Amino acid sequence: MVNPLRRFRVAGALLAVIVAYGVAGYMLVEHWSLGDALYMVVITISTVGYGEVHPLSPAGRLFTSTLIVGGVATMLYAFGIFAELVGEGHIAEYRRQRQMQRRVADLKDHFIVCGYGRIGTQIVTEFDAANARYIVIDNNPEAVARLVHEDRLHLAGDAASEELLKEARIDRARGLICAVDSDERAVYIVLAARALKPDLYILARAGQPPSIRRLELAGADRVVSPYRMAGHQMAGLALRPGLVEIMDTLQHGASAVGVEELLIRDGSRLAGKTLAEAGLTQAALARLLAVRRRDGTLHVNPDDELKLAEGDLIVALGSDEQLAHTASLLG
C-alpha cells in the first residue's frame, strides 16, 4: 500500500511556492530582511492574527492580500486531504499494514496456511489453541475481510505466486498447509512451494479422490481427504467410541496428559545412542509410545536398547511438564 502521506506532495509543493513568493515579495516591495519577511509570511498564511512586523505601504497591502488568498487556499486544500485520509481510514489502514509487514518479516518456524475457508478457519483455530505460529494466504475478498477483522497475520493474493510465498517467509517456514477448495489450484500451490523449498513439509487437502495422487506427484508429503477422514472418524466412533474419544482428548489437550511427537534432527548428539543412554527412559520423563524411522519402520513400545538415528520421530505420552522435559533432552 502506498504511503497516504504522499498525497500531501502537491499541497507541500504549493505551500513552498507560496512561502517563496511571500518572502521574495516582502523583500522586494517593502525591502525587509529575510527573517522579517519569512515571519510575516508565516503569520499571514496561518491567519493567527498577529500584528504586522512593520507598517505596510499601499503596494505592501495589495501584495499581502494576494498572499492571504493563495496561502489560505493552499492550507484549506491540505486540511481537506488530511480530513479525507482520516475520515476514510487510509492512515489507520496504512499503519495496520506496516505493522503486518513487520510481523511477517519476523516470522520463523511457522506454518503457511493457504486458503481461509471452512477448513482453513478450523486449522487456524487449532493453531491458536496450540500457540503455533502461522500466516494465512487467501485472495478471496470475503476471507481477507474476515482475516482483517480478526487481526490474523495474513497476505492477500494467490498462494501459487512464488513472490507471495517468498513474502510469507517460506524459506524459514516449518510447513505449508494447502486448504484451498480447488484441487487444480492446490496442485499449483504445492508445485510452487516445493520448488522454493525442497525440504518443506507440505500437507494438502484433496476434494476428489483422484486428486490425491496428483498432489502427491506435485510434491505433497501428506494428502488429506476431508470426506475420507470424516468417514473414518464416524466409523471409529461407531465401532470404538471410547478409544476415539480418549485419543481425541489426548491430541487436543483437553486433559492433563497429552501426546506429542519429537524429532531427532540431523546432527543431533543423541543419534547412535540407545534410549537408555540418551536418558529418555527416566521415570520423570514422558512415556515413549513409539519410534518411527525415516524409512517408515515403526517400533511400538520401544525397548530401552533401541538405538536412535537422525530423522527418527518419537511419539511420547505425558503431562506438559514431562513432554517439555523430554523435548529439552532432544535439544
Side-chain angles (χ1 to χ4, degrees):
M1 182 179 182
V2 178
N3 191 333
L5 297 181
R6 290 187 179 182
R7 295 183 59 181
F8 286 99
R9 287 181 297 183
V10 175
L14 289 175
L15 186 61
V17 170
I18 291 295
V19 171
Y21 167 74
V23 170
Y26 284 123
M27 293 180 69
L28 293 174
V29 175
E30 299 292 345
H31 306 289
W32 290 353
S33 66
L34 176 61
D36 288 346
L38 180 60
Y39 179 72
M40 185 65 181
V41 170
V42 171
I43 65 175
T44 299
I45 64 177
S46 62
T47 65
V48 295
Y50 289 165
E52 297 168 353
V53 177
H54 302 291
L56 291 171
S57 64
R61 292 194 182 104
L62 180 61
F63 173 77
T64 301
S65 299
T66 63
L67 181 63
I68 291 173
V69 173
V72 170
T74 302
M75 296 296 288
L76 289 176
Y77 174 65
F79 282 128
I81 294 176
F82 179 76
E84 180 183 353
L85 292 177
V86 173
E88 296 183 1
H90 292 298
I91 294 179
E93 175 65 15
Y94 177 73
R95 289 183 59 190
R96 187 192 64 78
Q97 290 201 9
R98 289 290 295 172
Q99 291 174 352
M100 190 75 68
Q101 290 173 354
R102 286 193 290 269
R103 289 168 61 191
V104 171
D106 293 336
L107 279 175
K108 186 178 180 181
D109 196 31
H110 60 288
F111 288 97
I112 300 174
V113 181
C114 303
Y116 197 60
R118 287 175 294 182
I119 293 180
T121 301
Q122 185 60 37
I123 292 171
V124 166
T125 301
E126 298 287 341
F127 280 172
D128 283 336
N131 293 320
R133 291 184 291 272
Y134 64 86
I135 182 171
V136 182
I137 301 179
D138 204 309
N139 59 358
N140 184 293
E142 186 273 334
V144 173
R146 285 196 295 120
L147 288 164
V148 172
H149 177 72
E150 296 165 5
D151 194 30
R152 299 193 187 279
L153 192 60
H154 71 280
L155 292 173
D158 185 3
S161 167
E162 292 189 3
E163 292 302 318
L164 201 63
L165 290 173
K166 291 178 182 178
E167 190 176 345
R169 309 302 299 175
I170 191 173
D171 57 317
R172 301 190 302 197
R174 177 179 173 183
L176 180 142
I177 300 177
C178 185
V180 296
D181 55 7
S182 167
D183 290 351
E184 290 75 14
R185 281 189 61 218
V187 170
Y188 287 117
I189 293 170
V190 172
L191 286 170
R194 181 60 70 207
L196 290 173
K197 191 175 182 182
D199 62 341
L200 181 69
Y201 177 73
I202 300 177
L203 175 63
R205 166 192 183 271
Q208 301 296 328
S211 299
I212 296 177
R213 181 59 178 162
R214 298 191 190 103
L215 287 165
E216 289 175 343
L217 291 173
D221 294 286
R222 297 289 298 273
V223 181
V224 174
S225 171
Y227 305 107
R228 181 179 294 179
M229 287 192 66
H232 179 75
Q233 180 81 356
M234 293 178 72
L237 285 170
L239 298 173
R240 297 176 295 274
L243 176 61
V244 173
E245 289 177 1
I246 290 173
M247 292 304 298
D248 188 63
T249 300
L250 291 175
Q251 289 179 339
H252 295 88
S255 67
V257 179
V259 177
E260 188 59 88
E261 60 178 37
L262 307 169
L263 179 66
I264 304 296
R265 299 184 180 276
D266 293 344
S268 171
R269 61 180 179 81
L270 299 182
K273 293 184 178 181
T274 66
L275 294 177
E277 291 171 343
L280 296 175
T281 58
Q282 301 174 43
L285 299 182
R287 172 69 177 175
L288 305 186
L289 301 180
V291 176
R292 191 188 70 187
R293 300 292 192 191
R294 182 171 278 172
D295 61 3
T297 305
L298 185 65
H299 297 273
V300 180
N301 193 22
D303 185 81
D304 293 355
E305 299 305 314
L306 178 69
K307 285 191 176 183
L308 296 170
E310 294 179 350
D312 282 356
L313 188 69
I314 301 174
V315 180
L317 171 70
S319 65
D320 289 342
E321 183 179 352
Q322 290 174 323
L323 291 170
H325 193 184
T326 303
S328 67
L329 288 180
L330 298 178

